[in-house]
Amino acid sequence: MGKIKVLTGNYAAAEAAALCRPDLIAAYPITPQSSVVEYLAGKVHNGEIDSNLVQVESEHSAMSVVQGAAADGGRVFTATSAQGLALMYEPYFRMSTLRLPMVMALATREMTSPETVWSGQQDAMSVRDAGWIQVFCDGNQEIVDMIIQGYMIAEDPRVLIPVNVCYDGFYSSHLTEGVDLPLPEEVDAFLPPVSFNHAVLDPKNPFALDPLTPGPLMMKYRKSHLDAMERALDVIDEVDQKFAAAFGRSYGGSLSEYRTEDADVVIVTIAGMTGTGMDAVDIARDEGIKAGLIKLRFTRPFPAKRMVKALAGKKAFAVIDRSVCFGWSQGPMYMETKASLADTAEQYCHFSAIGGLGGADISLDMMLSTIRKLDAQKNEPGEKETQWYMAD
């Protein structure tokens, strides 16, 4: 049992990162992430954690600095949002393809333009093919727990891929909840010291870390990376079980289910909308609708086999995205859920639902409307028109 503290999501992320004893933290502020690195800077300044803090001039530099420290075998941390993520894209991509493990908090935000600083998941979705593992949290306790788990997943020798711990900007980043914060000695017992040696810089043994790579070798690297992503699905489940044994909290691994055992219709949610979705399911059950919910926790690697199993025997589903797939009038995780089902998708009634862009609310009534629409059309297989959650 740790210490109960009331924390914003950003402070929860910072506290968890500190518990993992990072050797180096790179700090650059951007709304709505800023208080993560500010909080950690205070901990370093006050001597609460023994970490090197580098205050950089941009997000590109932040990722470059942690990249260098990780290449030297250190455990590193940073955080960002939206345009900051876009600015660090070059070293962000290199971080994963060099297979350097780390954890970065991502307080998700809508991308400009039209100009906005408000919540959305477009930033995270825009880099989902940059080779990082992505987990989405729906509460502050989960933020704490997934940063700790994130290091264990990233540093596992079967994986060696950096992890984004994503949570909704403003909704999670700035709102407070009671959090069971593990004690330092508990995290020390759970999380092994950082240990990897596939790319450690050493002045006594110099080598070219990222030389010009010919096509045949590039093919080998990419396949190795994708193979590790597949192995990560098993590691994610293993780490969830280890964490449950140590701390008494399990999140189900790559996805979790709520009242799906006998469900006819299912909504798939991502991050902070999940609690509202559960309430909508409960109300629909009271109305006689056999509704259930699947919480998609990891978008990379996408848990295709588990999604197929979770939807087996259902009649209808909708995926609620807080982002859009440009080129399709649909949400990206709906597209991927549909792809995971392949030809069997047409056995279901299914459609994409999109809402919450630029900080807009995804209300209980909106989710209930999706469940009722699914129930009304559950015996009419095939893809239906996208549902847009527009305010009245």
Side-chain angles (χ1 to χ4, degrees), residues 127-136 229 233 236 297-303 333 336:
V127 296
R128 66 188 187 276
D129 287 331
W132 284 58
I133 291 171
Q134 289 185 332
V135 58
F136 283 77
M229 275 286 197
L233 286 167
I236 287 163
R297 302 187 65 241
F298 282 78
T299 57
R300 285 294 181 269
F302 190 86
M333 289 302 105
E336 300 208 1

Side-chain angles (χ1 to χ4, degrees), residues 126-175:
S126 71
V127 296
R128 66 188 187 276
D129 287 331
W132 284 58
I133 291 171
Q134 289 185 332
V135 58
F136 283 77
C137 304
D138 72 358
N140 296 357
Q141 184 70 62
E142 190 172 8
I143 294 170
V144 168
D145 295 348
M146 290 317 302
I147 284 179
I148 297 168
Q149 289 189 44
Y151 279 108
M152 181 173 279
I153 294 165
E155 294 169 2
D156 190 292
R158 293 167 292 177
V159 180
L160 295 176
I161 296 172
V163 172
N164 271 151
V165 176
C166 309
Y167 51 92
D168 290 333
F170 294 103
Y171 285 98
S172 291
S173 66
H174 284 60
L175 298 181

Side-chain angles (χ1 to χ4, degrees), residues 24-38:
L24 183 141
I25 301 162
Y28 192 83
I30 184 170
T31 303
Q33 169 279 130
S34 299
S35 56
V36 178
V37 291
E38 290 171 356

Side-chain angles (χ1 to χ4, degrees), residues 33-282:
Q33 169 279 130
S34 299
S35 56
V36 178
V37 291
E38 290 171 356
Y39 194 88
L40 284 168
K43 281 184 168 292
V44 173
H45 177 75
N46 295 330
E48 296 176 49
I49 55 174
D50 184 19
S51 301
N52 292 295
L53 177 73
V54 182
Q55 298 183 49
V56 294
E57 74 278 10
S58 73
E59 290 85 358
H60 188 284
S61 296
M63 184 54 64
S64 298
V65 167
V66 296
Q67 188 174 109
D72 194 37
R75 180 175 286 160
V76 299
F77 180 83
T78 190
T80 195
S81 297
Q83 309 311 118
L85 178 63
L87 182 55
M88 67 167 57
Y89 183 74
E90 179 191 5
Y92 177 87
F93 208 110
R94 183 178 284 122
M95 193 78 186
S96 69
T97 51
L98 284 176
R99 305 289 296 281
L100 298 174
M102 71 168 292
V103 171
M104 180 171 76
L106 181 57
T108 60
R109 196 185 100 181
E110 186 62 57
M111 296 293 289
T112 298
S113 285
E115 187 61 41
T116 177
V117 298
W118 304 113
S119 187
Q121 295 168 356
Q122 199 70 47
D123 51 1
M125 293 300 170
S126 71
V127 296
R128 66 188 187 276
D129 287 331
W132 284 58
I133 291 171
Q134 289 185 332
V135 58
F136 283 77
C137 304
D138 72 358
N140 296 357
Q141 184 70 62
E142 190 172 8
I143 294 170
V144 168
D145 295 348
M146 290 317 302
I147 284 179
I148 297 168
Q149 289 189 44
Y151 279 108
M152 181 173 279
I153 294 165
E155 294 169 2
D156 190 292
R158 293 167 292 177
V159 180
L160 295 176
I161 296 172
V163 172
N164 271 151
V165 176
C166 309
Y167 51 92
D168 290 333
F170 294 103
Y171 285 98
S172 291
S173 66
H174 284 60
L175 298 181
T176 57
E177 289 182 342
V179 171
D180 183 355
L181 196 66
L183 300 174
E185 55 268 27
E186 292 175 327
V187 177
D188 290 343
F190 174 77
L191 182 63
V194 62
S195 176
F196 60 94
N197 58 12
H198 66 290
V200 176
L201 298 174
D202 183 356
K204 296 179 181 179
N205 298 287
F207 67 97
L209 179 60
D210 193 13
L212 194 61
T213 306
L217 188 55
M218 178 65 77
M219 293 286 291
K220 181 179 179 180
Y221 273 109
R222 289 293 184 264
K223 184 178 185 305
S224 173
H225 195 148
L226 292 174
D227 289 346
M229 275 286 197
E230 289 298 306
R231 292 193 296 271
L233 286 167
D234 291 331
V235 174
I236 287 163
D237 289 342
E238 290 175 18
V239 171
D240 179 75
Q241 293 165 14
K242 290 178 182 178
F243 193 88
F247 299 100
R249 294 185 292 275
S250 170
Y251 295 93
S254 54
L255 59 77
S256 63
E257 301 177 54
Y258 180 70
R259 304 190 75 169
T260 58
E261 296 86 353
D262 63 341
D264 288 333
V265 302
V266 172
I267 56 172
V268 180
T269 62
I270 308 161
M273 67 179 80
T274 300
T276 304
M278 289 178 176
D279 288 343
V281 166
D282 291 342

Side-chain angles (χ1 to χ4, degrees), residues 316-373:
F317 70 89
V319 181
I320 304 171
D321 277 284
R322 203 168 196 143
S323 57
V324 299
C325 185
F326 289 105
W328 296 83
S329 184
Q330 296 172 339
M333 289 302 105
Y334 168 71
M335 298 288 293
E336 300 208 1
T337 299
K338 186 171 60 171
S340 72
L341 294 166
D343 293 340
T344 63
E346 293 313 302
Q347 297 175 10
Y348 302 85
C349 163
H350 57 94
F351 57 85
S352 174
I354 297 173
L357 309 184
D361 190 24
I362 298 179
S363 69
L364 184 63
D365 286 342
M366 289 172 177
M367 288 194 163
L368 276 169
S369 72
T370 297
I371 293 172
R372 290 164 180 156
K373 180 179 177 182

